[in-house]
Amino acid sequence: MLVYDFDGSFEGLLSALYQSSVRKEKPDQILARPGLEVNWLDQHVTIETDLAAAEKVARSIRSRISEQAFEHILHVFQTERPERGYWIDRYVRLGFRFGSCVDDHLQEDIIRTVHEQSRRVSRETHRMTGLIRFIRSSAGIYYAKYEPDNNITMFLAPHFADRLADQPWIIHDIRRGVAALYNKKEWILTGTVPAALASWTDCDDVFEDMWRAYHRQIAITERINPQLQRNLMPIRYWKHLTEFSQ
Amino acid sequence: MQDLTRGCKFSEHMFLFWLICAMLIATSRRQVVTQVDLLNKVRILADAAKYDVSCSSSGSTRSNKAGGVGNAAAAGICHSWSADGRCISLLKILMTNICAYDCAYCINRATSDVERAMLSPEEVAEITINFYRRNYIEGLFLSSAVFRSPDETTERMIRALEILRREYRFNGYIHVKVIPGTSPALTTRLGFLADRLSVNIELPSPQSLHALAPQKSSEAILGPMGQIHDQIHESRETRLAVRGATAYVPAGQTTQLIVGATPERDHQILQLSEKLYQSFQLKRVYYSSYIPTVSHPNLPSLFTAPPLRREHRLYQADWLLRFYGFSAREILDDRHPDLSLDVDPKSDWALRHLDQFPVEINRAPYEMLLRVPGIGLRSAQRIIAARRAGTVDFDLLKKIGVVQKRARHFITCQGKFYGEASQDEQLIRAHLVADSPSGKDSGLGQISLFDLSLPVLSVVSSCAVDSGEF
Ligand code: SF4
């Protein structure tokens, strides 16, 4: 089996696509190096991240396939699934064959897989725009921690930078150690967040109590349906929701 | 390269600044104000507001203005789900439940023995902005009982909105329920502050309204609806001519009616809804199962279970009116006055029109695909896309989200029929009932908000191939 390995960054994966075109090869797998177990039966090619090459690949995807295809690729990458390299590679190959029509080709398994994975990411992003909960500190900073299935902090940040534009906030993915920081002007994404940040919890905020009271009160007793509630809002998300804490 | 991931920039320097902020937070102190009183009011007034069914906040897209807080996203966002499985999107609250009126079906009516409370406009604004900043809510859904008079109540609501919009520069979503009998001038002021207004029809016929809510007349309901409709229209024209003019009710108006309190049949209700969509261009009609909270000779007894399944079927039929190109008369008529509780309204319609089926998946126009049971908006769009690329076979249908079990009785794929008998109504009906997810949808009042964010996939496409290397 021909395996390409890359450094785990998006640019790294695009560099791998570039190399496969230069070397006229069709890798069976494209895997991220961190945590990779090398099988001696496989033929490994180590891809160095090449920003200029990645840029080129990105540009041709956007111009020769479509902006929408590029968006799908960005999303699929953030699923962090081991197959993502393979999916993206095959999708891009079909994309260069079918051009901007590629997304019509639902007969191809790979196209449906890419759509499905991309939709999972958009759906979680959409869901999180509602489920993020900020804690307010006395210094007026709003802090939210969460643990999404996909690496979506970069997709969420623009939404909050627009919506909560006049307050400083931090959105912290505590599982990945990634955070978006916003200072009322611009937001940045950082991978170096002190772990201590996550232990911020109690601020004795009256509005938290009020929200809990409101949340309890608004349910109609005659229609109580915990199963439905859990289907709509999976229990793994509850951990960081103000309404279910305490 | 940084552009690839959409302007994510990293600066060491800025991060240090943030670390310091983080330290400050650790010293957070307890707020001393005793808010027990306010908490209690929220409890009473949320309780009083909870039978309002509207949870949708979609229909308005607005970016935040510089220096302000809030935007309104086009696809509704649920922030939580309450224990009854309903989406919580807006802070839904009454200004007060002290009421001068005495509507028979209402828990807040003047003669009812409930705990009463009243929020000041300042309090409403403060709670809203603080919930919003913590991302608990998408915005505010404000309504009120009639405190002294409709106008006096509306003045208080206007005050709350003015504080939010002007002092807090709140740019988020606001939905206000117009009190029947409010003067046109005040309705106009309200409309320039809110995103959405609703005037509730309450009961599906003037007779029922007269019997149960004698202080509300149909004129007091239809009058403001007409006014809002005209002003929305005017405002659109003005905004085409004058850029930056304030929008009037940019997210449109909605209404709500109670199902199961009075004897109207489903076909009357659907015809009413259709008329409201057509003549007042309403965005939504909400249906609310009547939950008995009071005993009254003209009302179902206190032990009547709310007609949840009927409510669910009405929402499905409403969906057919708005998105699937059906008219109310097609769905129900005098001979079939009520929606079937066993099968969904589209299947029921198809069973009564078997002469129009089966249709060939590879040739049927989009409008016809939408009429096939088991094919939804998204799967119809996918079929059209896949047809552009090649042929569609029966296996592919399942893979792109068609409910094969239901659809197979009504379609052919490349000429082949996959059902048992194409014209036998009884047999097909029996299959559909057996295959229906019976217990599953029983508690579902409204279709989940996620279903609302439909893809804006165009049915016509112009795509091209451009071959070459990177
Ligand atoms: S006016 Fe409204 S709050 Fe007052 S009794 Fe009638 S329905 Fe209830």
Side-chain angles (χ1 to χ4, degrees), chain B residues 226-238:
Chain B
Q227 182 199 341
I228 295 165
H229 168 259
D230 296 347
Q231 285 177 324
I232 290 175
H233 189 74
E234 259 166 51
S235 156
R236 287 215 183 109
E237 307 263 284
T238 317

Side-chain angles (χ1 to χ4, degrees), chain A residues 16-32:
Chain A
L17 299 189
Y18 187 78
Q19 280 304 320
S20 86
S21 151
V22 170
R23 302 161 64 106
K24 306 224 181 302
E25 287 172 345
K26 195 170 176 182
D28 300 295
Q29 299 219 293
I30 305 181
L31 299 172

Side-chain angles (χ1 to χ4, degrees), chain A residues 126-159:
Chain A
H126 179 76
R127 202 175 249 206
M128 282 303 167
T129 56
L131 292 181
I132 286 283
R133 294 288 177 270
F134 291 99
I135 300 170
R136 186 185 187 279
S137 78
S138 56
I141 295 175
Y142 291 79
Y143 171 73
K145 61 180 169 191
Y146 77 138
E147 294 170 75
D149 299 338
N150 306 286
N151 187 11
I152 56 171
T153 309
M154 72 177 74
F155 303 130
L156 269 182
H159 169 84

